Amino acid sequence: MKRSIAVASLVAAFQILAGAALAESPEAARAREQLESYRKLPTFQAPGEAFDAAACMKGKSILSIPASSAVPFIKTIQSSMSKVAQKVGFNLKIWENQGQPTQWVQGFDHAINNKFDLIDLMAGADPRFLVPQVKAAEAAGLKVVAAHLTGYEQPIPAGVSGVVPIDYKRAGALLADWAIAKTDGKANAVVIGINDVLSTESMMTGIKEEFGKCAGCKMSYINVTLPEMATKTQTNVQAALTADPSVNYVIPIYDVLSQWVVPAVTITGKSDKVKVATFNGTPFAIGLVQEGKVEVDIGENLDWIGHAVIDAEMRMICGLAPVKDPKIPLLIFDKSNADTAGKPPQVNTGYGDAYIDGYAKLWKLK
Amino acid sequence: MAGKAGAARGGNKALVDGFERLALVFVFAATIAVFGYLRPESFFTWSNFAAILGSQSVIVVTALGLIIPLTAGDYDLSIANNLTFAATLLAVLNVNHQLPVGFAIAAALAAGAAIGVVNAFFVLYFRMNSLIVTMGVGTFMHGLTLWLGDQQTISGVSDGLVNAVIVNRLLGVPLGFYYAFGLCAILWYYLTYTAAGRRLLFVGRGREVARLSGVAVDRVRLGGFVCSGLLGAIAGVLYVGTTGAADPSSGLSFLLPAFAAAFLGATSISPGRFNPWGTIISVYFLVTGITGLSILGISNYVQDLFYGGALVIAVTLSQIVRGREERLA
């Protein structure tokens, strides 16, 4: 009898211990819950009421000025925008440039002189450097829109007519959530951002808020500048990993940075212990997820963004209610679904195509 | 009496000479000592030094590529564009066209040498300034790079190359370091102990004098541009080996650090001459400073203050020492 009680007690004690070991910390459980809805194929949600785009855009024109024509993801968004404009039937001209603000100024002059209806400043052609030009364009009756530059919570910069925001804060929060969930609430992360880029502020707000809710987590931040990211990122990450051997996550908030973060982790001999989580969903970075060098890349469908930007700008030209939330989804790519982006990964692949039909109906093209 | 004074002056000169040669090495050692004292547990570790040594092969090779035409009195501003073009060509051939990585590397190196020939053709045949020609050719190459890679970052390059550059190690240090070190030794031997290397220096010191002395100046300068092109392409191959990917623009940011290392290197080991050992010491001195500041958690603007400040102060000190040397002579 005594023996059976002792055995039963031992089994019970073992179960309690095992249960405690398996149970997730509340922080990790919360983080996992946050991530869940971004693991499913996104569905289309209309950002506003339906309208006859072809009719109201007849004879209208948009000039799109990219931050630089040499940046791969901007080029992809703009080629989507061009296709959409062709489909709707209006003139969209891309002002090709090498990233010099003087070239952006020339774009403004061109748009004003040629009576365009709207100037689209795409993904980093920063209106804060163009205040006199924005004023001149608006005085001449043109609308100026900063697209893919600000987060939802950031104010409209430099007096432009409108913005097409991206949920950067959410993207940042998801990166922190990923590290929290995977380390069971014991993340020690080195975050790398680019303060020159306006969206960094929004992403960092999301990251800090989430890590702030995790008592057992730690984070440090490294800022690299755009011109120096190729020469400084690797050195700084190596130094950070050397300075604190307990770091278990490196979070380059834009996946372009991951090409220098991965060698830093390899050279310091920490590939097994330190994981990389990043954002943007650029094909090469999803390739790094497929190779196991990056653990997760939170992707944004650039073709979807192209549609959403055109939708918001058409509404502005047509005098409809401005879009506050363009409903551009985020999708988590990890080893379980990275192959859906293609092998080798292709742009705009892996997100489904619900939005193509969705926008066609919204614009009454169908 | 006069003999004693002369001997003393000679002794002083030798001392000043030696100090000037090794000043940067002393400052480098002092930098290591200071950071080691402040953070012995993280800075003074072999893994830290291995990481520092193993991560700079691209800048070292780019800087070595620059000092060859600089020795002959020419500038090669196209070297960073050459680097990105070679990297992109390698990635396109290996990833997009599934060609063996060895073939892709050979093609990238051949392209680098060809760019050197193009630079030399315009500079030597049309007697144009190398600064203008290489800037123009470099910009043209950037356009070609964007076209070739479809303005995208290309990842998925053969693991064999990545393993051979940063994964496989000797004494804990990634092999990339040894390639750069080996190239440095070859270049040092070439410039110091071969007739061709001495001709390069001679041409750089005075083209007309060299020509009148029977040196085939144009051929020497052509060789300089071709070597520079080839080393730019090798740097591109090492860059792909480091990142496992190639993108069309980021390699361009290596140009100024490479120039900084070349000029800082010219204040040390063989003062007044662009020299390989001085160059490699400069690269590692600058990166050690930046790593130390990062380990201390100091903001990145201080890194720029260190980088720029170290460059200007080192060159200034070198000038002061040289002034004293001239007075002693």
Side-chain angles (χ1 to χ4, degrees), chain B residues 13 46 102 181 205 212 218 263 298:
Chain B
K13 187 175 181 313
W46 184 240
F181 191 84
R205 289 292 158 111
L212 293 172
D218 282 0
F263 279 98
I298 290 172

Side-chain angles (χ1 to χ4, degrees), chain A residues 207-328:
Chain A
I207 290 176
K208 283 178 187 163
E209 273 182 15
E210 290 304 286
F211 278 133
K213 291 171 193 160
C214 173
C217 295
K218 242 171 89 177
M219 68 154 273
S220 57
Y221 179 65
I222 296 171
N223 169 43
V224 292
T225 59
L226 268 178
E228 292 178 331
M229 61 184 184
T231 52
K232 292 271 179 77
T233 306
Q234 190 179 334
T235 311
N236 278 285
V237 173
Q238 283 174 194
L241 295 180
T242 306
D244 183 355
S246 66
V247 169
N248 48 21
Y249 266 88
V250 180
I251 303 179
I253 65 172
Y254 305 112
D255 64 14
V256 63
L257 296 166
S258 60
Q259 62 186 307
W260 304 292
V261 168
V262 169
V265 174
T266 309
I267 283 178
T268 47
K270 302 198 171 189
S271 305
D272 292 337
K273 197 184 154 229
V274 178
K275 303 297 173 195
V276 180
T278 189
F279 163 69
N280 280 144
T282 311
F284 94 91
I286 297 178
L288 294 176
V289 176
Q290 290 174 348
E291 292 170 35
K293 292 172 180 166
V294 167
E295 193 178 53
V296 65
D297 193 0
I298 295 168
E300 43 176 7
N301 181 348
L302 301 183
D303 191 41
W304 199 316
I305 292 173
H307 281 73
V309 169
I310 291 288
D311 176 76
E313 292 177 349
M314 288 195 304
R315 285 172 193 275
M316 205 169 275
I317 291 174
C318 298
L320 300 170
V323 171
K324 285 197 179 135
D325 177 358
K327 311 275 187 199
I328 299 164

Side-chain angles (χ1 to χ4, degrees), chain A residues 69-73 75-76 96 98 223-225 227-232 234-236 238-240 242-244 256 259-260 262-269 282-285 287-288 291 293 344-345 347, chain B residues 42-43 45 47-48 50-52 54-56 59 142 146 150-156 159 162 166-167 169 174 239 242-243 245-251 253-254 257 287 290-291 294-295 300 303-304 307:
Chain A
S69 303
V71 176
F73 89 93
K75 184 182 162 261
T76 310
E96 301 280 344
Q98 279 80 44
N223 169 43
V224 292
T225 59
E228 292 178 331
M229 61 184 184
T231 52
K232 292 271 179 77
Q234 190 179 334
T235 311
N236 278 285
Q238 283 174 194
T242 306
D244 183 355
V256 63
Q259 62 186 307
W260 304 292
V262 169
V265 174
T266 309
I267 283 178
T268 47
T282 311
F284 94 91
L288 294 176
E291 292 170 35
K293 292 172 180 166
V347 283
Chain B
S42 47
F43 188 84
T45 58
S47 61
N48 180 40
I52 290 174
S55 59
Q56 299 302 312
I59 291 189
H142 185 49
L146 290 169
D150 196 23
Q151 304 184 28
Q152 301 288 341
T153 301
I154 304 164
S155 67
D159 272 347
V162 179
I166 60 162
V167 176
R169 291 157 192 257
Y239 191 43
T242 303
T243 61
D247 79 309
S249 300
S250 63
S253 54
F254 289 109
V287 75
I290 286 175
T291 303
S294 304
I295 287 179
N300 73 336
Q303 296 176 11
D304 285 335
Y307 208 106

Side-chain angles (χ1 to χ4, degrees), chain B residues 121-272:
Chain B
F121 172 72
F122 285 105
V123 171
L124 302 175
Y125 190 78
F126 294 104
R127 298 287 152 198
M128 288 160 71
N129 188 314
S130 61
L131 203 74
I132 308 295
V133 169
T134 56
M135 190 164 65
V137 169
T139 309
F140 184 84
M141 293 312 299
H142 185 49
L144 271 186
T145 308
L146 290 169
W147 166 77
L148 180 67
D150 196 23
Q151 304 184 28
Q152 301 288 341
T153 301
I154 304 164
S155 67
V157 174
S158 166
D159 272 347
L161 180 59
V162 179
N163 291 342
V165 177
I166 60 162
V167 176
N168 295 338
R169 291 157 192 257
L170 182 63
L171 303 173
V173 180
L175 293 183
F177 166 73
Y178 299 99
Y179 304 143
F181 191 84
L183 284 170
C184 185
I186 292 169
L187 192 55
W188 165 74
Y189 181 82
Y190 171 76
L191 290 175
T192 316
Y193 293 108
T194 68
R198 306 306 287 182
R199 279 198 291 271
L200 199 70
L201 183 63
F202 200 27
V203 167
R205 289 292 158 111
R207 273 183 204 145
E208 202 49 29
V209 178
R211 193 181 63 77
L212 293 172
S213 312
V215 175
V217 171
D218 282 0
R219 198 183 304 162
V220 170
R221 293 174 72 194
L222 165 70
F225 280 115
V226 173
C227 287
S228 173
L230 191 61
L231 281 164
I234 293 174
V237 172
L238 290 171
Y239 191 43
V240 177
T242 303
T243 61
D247 79 309
S249 300
S250 63
L252 305 182
S253 54
F254 289 109
L255 186 65
L256 289 181
F259 263 108
F263 279 98
L264 185 54
T267 66
S268 151
I269 310 298
S270 300

